[in-house]
Amino acid sequence: MKKTVLTFGLISGVMISVLMDSSLLLAHKIGSGHSMVLGYTIMVASFLLIYFGIRSYRDNTLEGQISFGRAFTCGILIALITTACYVATWEVLYFNFMPHFMDSYFAAQIHKVQASGLDPATAAAKVADIERSQRLYQNPFVNMAYTFMEPLPVGLIITLISAAVLRRKVPVEPAAAGAVMTT
């Protein structure tokens, strides 16, 4: 399983990293709503390699049979490698090339709260929470944790679907079933 997981995980990781890099060039041109849709589309496209990784492992190593548990294990390991590549790419980009990228995101969140018509005390509390998150995001470990949680749910969903679709049990032969009943 190790070879399959590493192969498909790294291919998917390179794919998600390259596509993320490319999409960031378009982020300011297409707007935050479309940018988010593009980002999750990139994640889904990259995580589709989970399906192909599980299928390859089942067909080439396990002679066409795999349990849901083993398929899930293979898929989630591919997802973790892909997610680790995503996080590593983001950390390098964010802290070295785009340290103010999230400032516009947090500013938009603050503006949204201020324009929402909430009472001043509630709005001030929400703005304080956003500003606290903005300060926390500057810590590389917190940044990594937030970034890790972006693609992982997508990878988990694709892993669950792939494991369910690709599971294949060992066929029970009629002679073996009859022998069990007569004993």
Side-chain angles (χ1 to χ4, degrees), residues 54-151:
I54 295 170
R55 190 178 77 182
S56 173
Y57 180 58
R58 179 194 72 189
D59 295 345
N60 298 326
T61 306
L62 300 178
E63 300 173 1
Q65 295 147 8
I66 193 166
S67 68
F68 177 84
R70 187 167 269 201
F72 179 82
T73 301
C74 181
I76 202 67
L77 290 172
I78 293 169
L80 289 171
I81 291 170
T82 304
T83 301
C85 291
Y86 178 87
V87 170
T89 301
W90 176 250
E91 294 300 303
V92 169
L93 286 175
Y94 182 73
F95 286 108
N96 294 307
F97 301 105
M98 308 172 2
H100 302 293
F101 181 81
M102 292 300 289
D103 291 345
S104 61
Y105 171 78
F106 287 115
Q109 294 300 313
I110 289 171
H111 177 71
K112 191 176 177 183
V113 168
Q114 291 170 337
S116 68
L118 294 171
D119 65 274
T122 305
K126 288 189 179 235
V127 167
D129 285 343
I130 293 168
E131 289 171 342
R132 188 173 348 97
S133 292
Q134 186 174 12
R135 284 189 303 277
L136 281 172
Y137 201 76
Q138 295 307 312
N139 178 332
F141 295 108
V142 173
N143 189 308
M144 283 190 284
Y146 283 161
T147 306
F148 193 81
M149 293 310 297
E150 286 175 35

Side-chain angles (χ1 to χ4, degrees), residues 23 27 30-45 154:
S23 73
I30 62 175
S32 64
H34 292 96
S35 182
M36 191 178 296
V37 170
L38 177 62
Y40 280 100
T41 302
I42 287 168
M43 288 178 200
V44 169
V154 178

